[in-house]
Amino acid sequence: TIISALAALALGAGILASPAARAEDKKFTIALIPGLTTDGFYITMRKGAEAAAKAVGADLVFQGAPEFNPVLQVPVLDAIIARKPDAILIAPTDKVQLVQPLKKAADAGIPVITVDTFIGTGKYQSGAGDADFPLAYIASDNVLGGRIAARALAKAVGEKGKVYVSNVKPGVSTTDQREEGFKDEMKNYPNIQVLETQYNDDDANKAASQLQSVFARNPDLDGVFGANLFSALGAANGVQQAGQSGKIKVVAFDAPPSIVDNIKTGLVDIAIAQHPAEIGYYGVMSAYAHLTGQSIPVLIGTGFTVMDKSNVDQPEVARFIYKD
Ligand code: T6T
């Protein structure tokens, strides 16, 4: 009985010290590195991530660059790696340029999950290529988003005329895929000509002046697809400055708070809202699941909410307007 009491104690101590119990007791630090800090999309993603961190008792570190630029993002990533967080969630700003910097994190034993954007082909854990090491990718289906945009713009312009894509820069997985989906879907509308893409480097002012130049060269311009928040904002401002509000149709990807006014005044016809809070929430939950010994899906696809004049006031739609 003394012996069995001792055995029971030892057993109890053994249970307390077992890796599973320790993993659950540990306070994890999860880092979230956005594409840039001053963007309603990532600000909203952070809110979802914080909600999940709170639910599992983890600390969330949110740190990013002021611009969507790999040259500025890599030093932030290096600083985060030096702090040795338990996991890194990141929206890589270039498919290729973030591969080696993220490999350093993986080599240091820090699990990497990409949110919103991907590196390489985005097919992770496949044993193929040098960029398949992240554990998971959590994002919108951006090819599908581009298709939705094409159908909406085709409808808005009456299935004929000239349109173009206002985009960020080549090499960004999300916006590349939106353009791909858009152009592929536009093949179903033979009377719509898609003009050359204009790259604005995520600068809304540049997107606005490009709209005016494209319009100057093509006075019969019918529509524009703004492939992300700043492209859409800029294109819409350009349309307004050119005095073409309601005449040149605008389909916007993303839904910052100002989108509501733009939809109501008729400057923007359709906004395709992503669900960034959901991306942040499932990013943290996936990291936590992995850190506590669960297996996790390699891909989590989040949805869209398509907003227009008819539904933007409905609470179940308006809840997807980004925070700022
Ligand atoms: O559209 C989002 C994001 O999905 C994309 O990767 C970069 O631009 C945004 O952050 C909007 O500005």
Side-chain angles (χ1 to χ4, degrees):
T1 23
I2 283 183
I3 288 176
S4 60
L6 279 177
L9 269 177
L11 195 65
I15 286 168
L16 283 178
S18 79
R22 256 185 284 134
E24 269 142 39
D25 291 345
K26 190 182 161 195
K27 197 165 175 67
F28 293 111
T29 299
I30 298 172
L32 170 58
I33 306 176
L36 75 164
T37 49
T38 54
D39 175 335
F41 174 83
Y42 296 112
I43 292 168
T44 310
M45 183 188 289
R46 176 186 189 172
K47 298 222 189 277
E50 269 163 358
K54 195 167 166 218
V56 298
D59 280 329
L60 184 81
V61 175
F62 180 83
Q63 207 173 313
E67 285 171 32
F68 196 92
N69 183 338
V71 174
L72 300 180
Q73 191 181 39
V74 170
V76 174
L77 171 60
D78 285 341
I80 289 284
I81 294 172
R83 284 174 68 169
K84 299 192 191 334
D86 295 294
I88 292 178
L89 308 176
I90 183 170
T93 46
D94 188 279
K95 280 185 279 207
V96 176
Q97 292 183 56
L98 265 295
V99 173
Q100 284 317 313
L102 278 173
K103 187 89 179 39
K104 276 198 266 171
D107 289 348
I110 305 169
V112 174
I113 290 175
T114 78
V115 285
D116 177 44
T117 44
F118 60 70
I119 53 170
T121 60
K123 308 254 181 296
Y124 299 154
Q125 301 295 309
S126 60
D130 61 353
D132 80 314
F133 57 85
L135 298 179
Y137 173 51
I138 302 163
S140 308
D141 179 339
N142 287 289
V143 176
L144 175 66
R147 289 187 187 282
I148 295 171
R151 291 197 285 267
L153 191 58
K155 191 170 169 217
V157 301
E159 302 195 0
K160 60 175 186 338
K162 285 184 185 168
V163 304
Y164 78 95
V165 183
S166 174
N167 211 345
V168 180
K169 59 187 151 193
V172 181
S173 72
T174 46
T175 49
D176 282 357
Q177 287 192 324
R178 289 170 204 163
E179 181 171 336
E180 180 194 320
F182 180 87
K183 286 185 166 164
D184 196 54
E185 189 69 18
M186 275 300 185
K187 290 182 186 150
N188 297 325
Y189 303 94
N191 298 324
I192 295 180
Q193 186 189 351
V194 181
L195 304 172
E196 200 187 333
T197 295
Q198 302 293 307
Y199 292 108
N200 55 50
D201 216 12
D202 220 23
D203 177 346
N205 291 328
K206 209 162 162 183
S209 57
Q210 286 169 339
L211 184 290
Q212 305 221 39
S213 313
V214 175
F215 179 52
R217 291 195 295 271
N218 303 275
D220 53 347
L221 182 68
D222 296 288
V224 56
F225 167 39
N228 85 330
L229 194 153
F230 299 101
S231 306
L233 194 70
N237 288 341
V239 167
Q240 191 164 41
Q241 287 153 15
Q244 295 297 306
S245 180
K247 292 185 197 132
I248 299 177
K249 305 293 181 185
V250 180
V251 169
F253 218 90
D254 293 313
S258 62
I259 207 76
V260 181
D261 291 338
N262 290 342
I263 287 176
K264 284 188 176 159
T265 62
L267 179 59
V268 168
D269 291 88
I270 299 274
I272 300 163
Q274 303 186 72
H275 294 177
E278 207 173 296
I279 297 175
Y281 188 91
Y282 284 94
V284 168
M285 283 303 185
S286 301
Y288 182 77
H290 172 75
L291 291 168
T292 51
Q294 304 300 315
S295 64
I296 59 172
V298 74
L299 173 69
I300 298 180
T302 55
F304 297 113
T305 296
V306 180
M307 301 177 176
D308 63 18
K309 230 180 214 162
S310 73
N311 70 8
V312 73
D313 286 326
Q314 296 167 13
E316 66 274 22
V317 171
R319 68 187 284 237
F320 289 106
I321 293 163
Y322 301 173
K323 309 285 182 284
D324 58 7

